[in-house]
Amino acid sequence: MFTNNDINFEALKRKAYNGRWATLEDGIIPLTAADPDFKTAPEIEQGIIEYIKDGYLSYGPFSGLPEFKKSVADHFNQEKHGTFSPENVLAVNSAAQGMFLIASYVLQPGDEAIILDPVDFLFKKSVETAGGIVRLCPVDTTTGEIDFEKLVSLITQKTKLISICNPHNPLGKVYSKETLKKVSEIASSHDVWVMSDEIWSDIIYDNKDFHTYSSVSDEAKRKSFTVYGFSKSFGIAGLRIGAVLCNDQEILEDFIEKSNFNSTIEGVSTLSQIAGSVALEKAKPWYKDFLNHLQHNRDLAFKILSRSEIVTPNFPEATFVLFPKIENGMSSDQFTQHVLQQGKVAIVPGSERWFGKGAEGHIRICFSTSQEILEEGLNRIITSF
């Protein structure tokens, strides 16, 4: 089901943007943006077709369709130890938009937000867009562990937000209940908000348990937002669909009002919400097969790169990206350019622009493709030196 024969390369060259097939010259393999090379589940396709059969594409409720909210709440409660009601869910245009809305809600210009380093660039960008000041808390690039001593030392009277990425992009770390509890204790004792980006929480390997942040303690539930999306686990990035979850209904209603999700100014395409609902209610068998394929790809990529002397790979517990350490003395940008020119493979440099200062000396490789493409791409990287 997830072989080379299942990939429509012509469609990808027409439609797969964001540093992927549609943006690169022929002959280059993109192992870049974290987006699957496979078409979405047939159940999702069918669900969209069924919804539009009667010819009506009317306004939905501004904060989200009831069936969408219910399917997201159920998914978190059944799979991630959540305690959400459907009313605790807001449909947004993507997990990325959710992050920006939360930063805008929590931060006034000049307020400080603590983010992990390294971490996906959207954390920094959302804080700065809201007029906030970023403070970086180091994460061990081998273990993914948070430096809690440093975290506490970064908190000042101006600190209003701690943002975590769980599972962590690009390190593939799944944070334990105990680690999340520690975050909640620190945040609570300083009366600071927490945002937990959990877009990767469906892509977890070896049956490892996952706890959504708000489930770990009463403190975690009190002053936090959770962000979720469908692009990683169900390959529907182009539909721009995500969710913001908050256990405190009064806070969420205030958030909805201030984010303009109470009128036609905002609101998410009903088709996108139907796709999200169908994904969680009917496409789980497809997703489980996809996850199984990804775990095989992770193991294969780790094995191939471990034999190379050019990089030392990490072994992610989650996500479909690897974050190997460069061992030949090149900078992240130099390495990436060399691989693109000599090996015809596009990868993401571990540069400050994409992941923060702590990422330098690494590269990020996406493995949500066929085994054939992955092997070819990795072998090209190794033999380009």
Side-chain angles (χ1 to χ4, degrees):
M1 203 163 124
F2 295 100
T3 68
N4 239 22
N5 296 331
D6 301 305
I7 299 176
N8 183 338
F9 291 101
E10 287 312 308
L12 285 172
K13 283 168 189 172
R14 286 196 314 274
K15 296 180 175 181
Y17 286 84
N18 195 19
R20 297 180 67 241
W21 298 92
T23 63
L24 297 167
E25 293 170 22
D26 278 353
I28 294 172
I29 294 175
L31 303 178
T32 47
D35 205 14
D37 278 346
F38 303 101
K39 64 182 183 182
T40 193
E43 293 86 352
I44 296 173
E45 194 181 316
Q46 201 51 43
I48 293 171
I49 292 166
E50 286 298 321
Y51 183 77
I52 62 174
K53 265 187 179 171
D54 60 15
Y56 284 94
L57 290 168
S58 306
Y59 283 117
F62 306 125
S63 65
L65 292 168
E67 56 264 51
F68 176 80
K69 294 178 164 205
K70 184 180 185 306
S71 60
V72 172
D74 288 350
H75 181 57
F76 268 76
N77 298 346
Q78 290 159 15
E79 309 285 341
K80 307 173 201 291
H81 300 278
T83 54
F84 296 105
S85 69
E87 292 73 39
N88 295 155
V89 178
L90 169 67
V92 291
N93 287 304
S94 62
Q97 190 200 24
M99 293 170 69
F100 277 73
L101 291 172
I102 291 162
S104 300
Y105 179 75
V106 169
L107 302 171
Q108 295 295 320
D111 285 345
E112 295 178 0
I114 298 169
I115 68 171
L116 304 179
D117 180 35
V119 79
D120 184 85
F121 76 100
L122 287 171
F123 284 81
K124 181 172 185 274
K125 192 159 186 170
S126 56
V127 170
E128 290 177 345
T129 302
I133 295 160
V134 171
R135 297 285 179 239
L136 299 176
C137 177
V139 175
D140 187 304
T141 52
T142 306
T143 65
E145 293 298 341
I146 298 166
D147 184 338
F148 280 110
E149 222 172 280
K150 180 69 173 171
L151 176 62
V152 172
S153 75
L154 288 170
I155 297 173
T156 70
Q157 286 182 320
K158 288 185 173 180
T159 307
K160 297 291 185 290
L161 176 68
I162 297 170
S163 290
I164 58 172
C165 185
N166 185 31
H168 187 283
N169 171 20
L171 300 175
K173 172 74 177 174
V174 178
Y175 290 114
S176 66
K177 186 178 180 180
E178 292 68 37
T179 295
L180 298 174
K181 226 171 174 173
K182 203 179 279 190
V183 172
S184 76
E185 285 162 8
I186 293 166
S188 177
S189 66
H190 294 89
D191 197 28
V192 170
W193 291 88
V194 172
M195 181 194 77
S196 179
D197 170 22
E198 299 179 8
I199 192 170
W200 286 103
S201 58
D202 295 328
I203 309 293
I204 294 179
Y205 304 120
D206 306 306
N207 298 313
K208 199 171 174 66
D209 204 12
F210 179 84
H211 292 262
T212 187
Y213 173 75
S214 73
S215 71
V216 302
S217 67
D218 289 337
E219 291 87 357
K221 200 174 281 190
R222 194 176 64 84
K223 207 170 177 180
S224 70
F225 289 102
T226 300
V227 175
Y228 178 67
F230 295 78
S231 58
K232 310 306 176 196
S233 36
F234 293 100
I236 53 173
L239 287 175
R240 309 290 300 174
I241 177 67
V244 169
L245 299 93
C246 178
N247 278 105
D248 188 316
Q249 199 52 34
E250 274 184 43
I251 288 172
L252 188 64
E253 279 165 22
D254 187 50
F255 176 80
I256 288 168
E257 179 129 342
K258 288 179 176 154
S259 304
N260 289 314
F261 276 79
N262 58 352
S263 73
T264 49
I265 295 171
E266 278 291 358
V268 179
S269 154
T270 50
L271 280 182
S272 301
Q273 292 178 68
I274 291 299
S277 298
V278 171
L280 296 179
E281 287 167 20
K282 296 182 179 174
K284 289 273 179 79
W286 177 94
Y287 146 77
K288 282 176 180 161
D289 287 341
F290 180 46
L291 186 63
N292 189 43
H293 169 74
L294 290 172
Q295 185 160 323
H296 285 302
N297 270 9
R298 175 202 62 174
D299 296 349
L300 176 70
F302 181 79
K303 189 174 159 190
I304 290 171
L305 292 175
S306 293
R307 292 200 298 257
S308 124
E309 292 175 7
I310 303 153
V311 296
T312 301
N314 63 322
F315 191 67
E317 300 171 325
T319 79
F320 45 68
V321 296
L322 284 162
F323 201 57
K325 185 172 184 290
I326 299 166
E327 301 292 5
N328 66 0
M330 280 183 164
S331 73
S332 298
D333 282 321
Q334 286 169 339
F335 190 99
T336 305
Q337 280 305 310
H338 176 90
V339 165
L340 181 62
Q341 284 155 14
Q342 304 300 319
K344 301 291 183 203
V345 181
I347 53 176
V348 183
S351 57
E352 188 174 352
R353 177 189 173 192
W354 296 118
F355 304 109
K357 292 175 182 173
E360 181 49 60
H362 294 78
I363 50 169
R364 196 188 76 171
I365 297 171
C366 175
F367 56 84
S368 57
T369 186
S370 67
Q371 184 180 315
E372 297 94 321
I373 291 284
L374 180 62
E375 277 192 88
E376 171 71 20
L378 295 177
N379 286 325
R380 283 192 197 183
I381 290 170
I382 292 165
T383 56
S384 73
F385 290 94

